[in-house]
Structure formats: structure tokens, C-alpha cells
Amino acid sequence: MTVTIEKTEQVWTVIHNRPEARNAMDPDSADGLVEAFEDFDKSDAKVAVLWGAGGSFCAGWDLKYAASLSSGERENIKEFDFPMGSAPAPRGSLGPTRMELSKPVIAAVEGPAVAGGMELAMWCDIRVMSEAAYFGVFCRRWGIPLSDGGAVRLPRLIGQGKALEITMTGRKVPADECYNIGLCEKVVAVGDARASAEAMAHEIEKFPQQAMLADRRSIYETHGLSVREALKVEWANGLAAVRNEGYEGAARFSSGLGRHGDFDKI
């Protein structure tokens, strides 16, 4: 098995384990990641972490596998076509990149997250990178386009101009630059990405979940809307959380908990 899960009660760490291929994505791994995140979304766990074993996050599509395909097998790429209308889409070629989960995922990035691996990291809600980690549209040199959300998510994260420059040049983007342009949210020492991402996941899971998930949905669902329409969505998303969690939280504050930025006793 190239995909395994290590579970605590509230946080799952999904591990892609093909270090001999720098965690490049083959069909078995892609299917394994989809199954893992389907199970996570249906579980009681609150947050997931995605990590590549062996010092690489993901080197993208397995090009050695792709080069070995017969002409007939190469036609099978059509299985990833989007269907007409609103029918469910098949999985992405990199696995879960078309999934819309109801709960957050944090990418723990060590080493390369390039080509499709960069797309996989951008599918996650948050990216924690080690100092030696890097992104890059390395598929540029092989005539392979972004097809797992990279051309969609990259400009939304960092703006159109910078996204075009990184995409068209295919250059290496080191962790410090990723942090400076908003392509990752935290940079840590080499070897610490997984532990840091898991610690962040545990920070998130201890909060009242309905309000946190309402805010997460609003951030995603309001992209591209006018301010007025976006405010309507935000209000609708948050109503149940106020009723179910907010008033109770106000009572806890009133009783003396969580004052002065104390997140330990809430």
C-alpha cells in the first residue's frame, strides 16, 4: 500500500509512501488518496494532514509510468473528462484534487512539491513548508499542462501576474518566497513540517467546529461574488453556528474563560 493513515481521535495524517519515486503519483496512489480522504470526510475526525514520506511531498505525475503506456492506454486519459451538466466528476489525475471536502486539510511539505505535487498542495487549505521545500511548475519542460487545479488555484492564492510568471517559466519557487507571496502559510525547520502541521491541526480541532467550518465555507463560497452577495452567503453560513455555539461561547467568556487571548481554557 502506498497510502496509509495514522489516526488520533480528532486528527488524521494521510501519508503517501512512494519515496523511491519521490512520491510521484501513479494510479494506485491516486486511488488510495481519494479513498483516504473520502473516509476522512465521513469520519468524526476534525482535521487532516497530508504528508509525503521519505523527504518529498510529491514530484507530480509519475512520468516513468506515463512513458510506459501504450497508445491505447494513453487514450484512457479521457476517463478524467468532466461530464456534461452537473453529474459528479471523476477523480483528478493526481487523486483528490477535484474533491470538495467539508473539513480542512493541511499540507505538510518537505522537499519537492512540483508539477502535480504543487497542485496537490494547493488543493489543501493550508500549506506548512520546511525551509528546504520548494514548489515549481516543473512539468513546463515536458509539455504537460496543469490539469489538477493549478491554473485555477494559483492565481487565487497569489494573484494573476505572479501566477503567470511562475507558471510560464516553470522555475523553482523556494519556501521563503512561497511564504512571502502567500503560497504557503508557515515555514519551519527541515524535518519539522509534519509535526508542525499536526500541531496546527490540533489547534484547529479544539475550537467549536460549526463556527470554524462556517467561516471556511464562506471563504471558499464567496470568491468572485460582489460584496453584497458575498455578505449574504457569509450571514447564511453563520446563522446556525451562532445559535448552536455562539451564545454558549458568550456564556463561557462571561464566566471568565478565554480572557486576554488565552486559548487554552475555552
Side-chain angles (χ1 to χ4, degrees):
M1 294 178 61
T2 60
V3 176
T4 57
I5 307 172
E6 294 184 10
K7 303 176 183 179
T8 67
E9 185 176 352
Q10 303 294 347
V11 174
W12 287 15
T13 298
V14 177
I15 301 168
H16 184 199
N17 192 9
R18 289 190 78 212
E20 73 283 357
R22 306 189 89 182
N23 292 319
M25 197 67 65
D26 65 351
D28 288 343
S29 294
D31 288 338
L33 287 176
V34 168
E35 182 178 351
F37 283 111
E38 285 177 342
D39 290 346
F40 162 69
D41 214 37
K42 292 182 290 189
S43 76
D44 292 331
K46 303 297 192 297
V47 187
V49 170
L50 176 58
W51 180 69
S56 298
F57 182 76
C58 177
W61 190 29
D62 188 337
L63 298 185
K64 290 182 179 179
Y65 160 80
S68 72
L69 296 176
S70 68
S71 58
E73 289 171 324
R74 292 177 185 184
E75 286 300 306
N76 289 340
I77 196 169
K78 293 179 180 178
E79 67 182 303
F80 301 120
D81 285 353
F82 279 84
M84 297 296 290
S86 59
R91 71 159 172 83
S93 55
L94 269 289
T97 50
R98 294 175 180 175
M99 297 177 72
E100 296 179 273
L101 301 186
S102 64
K103 298 181 287 190
V105 180
I106 302 172
V109 184
E110 296 281 354
V114 297
M118 179 177 174
E119 295 181 284
L120 187 60
M122 289 192 293
W123 168 74
C124 299
D125 296 85
I126 297 170
R127 287 145 295 281
V128 176
M129 300 180 72
S130 81
E131 294 172 331
Y134 54 93
F135 287 149
V137 185
F138 283 16
C139 52
R140 180 58 53 239
R141 67 197 71 179
W142 310 123
I144 299 172
L146 297 171
S147 58
D148 277 82
V152 177
R153 295 184 175 109
L154 186 59
R156 294 187 182 194
L157 288 169
I158 65 173
Q160 179 172 297
K162 180 56 71 174
L164 285 166
E165 182 262 322
I166 288 172
T167 299
M168 291 192 295
T169 65
R171 67 176 177 84
K172 179 179 179 179
V173 188
D176 58 347
E177 181 180 358
C178 290
Y179 180 79
N180 289 334
I181 64 176
L183 191 47
C184 80
E185 286 65 53
K186 190 172 186 179
V187 176
V188 298
V190 175
D192 287 352
R194 176 180 173 177
S196 181
E198 289 173 340
M200 184 184 293
H202 283 291
E203 288 180 21
I204 293 170
E205 61 88 359
K206 72 181 180 181
F207 295 124
Q209 291 294 292
Q210 196 167 357
M212 182 275 291
L213 293 175
D215 288 344
R216 177 181 180 268
R217 283 197 309 276
S218 293
I219 289 171
Y220 281 120
E221 292 174 358
T222 59
H223 186 89
L225 298 181
S226 68
V227 172
R228 183 178 179 86
E229 293 305 310
L231 289 171
K232 292 178 183 178
V233 172
E234 181 190 52
W235 176 255
N237 280 339
L239 273 177
V242 172
R243 296 189 182 110
N244 296 333
E245 294 178 343
Y247 292 118
E248 182 183 343
R252 292 199 305 276
F253 174 82
S254 183
S255 70
L257 295 178
R259 300 292 181 87
H260 308 295
D262 181 1
F263 280 31
D264 293 327
K265 296 179 180 180
I266 56 173

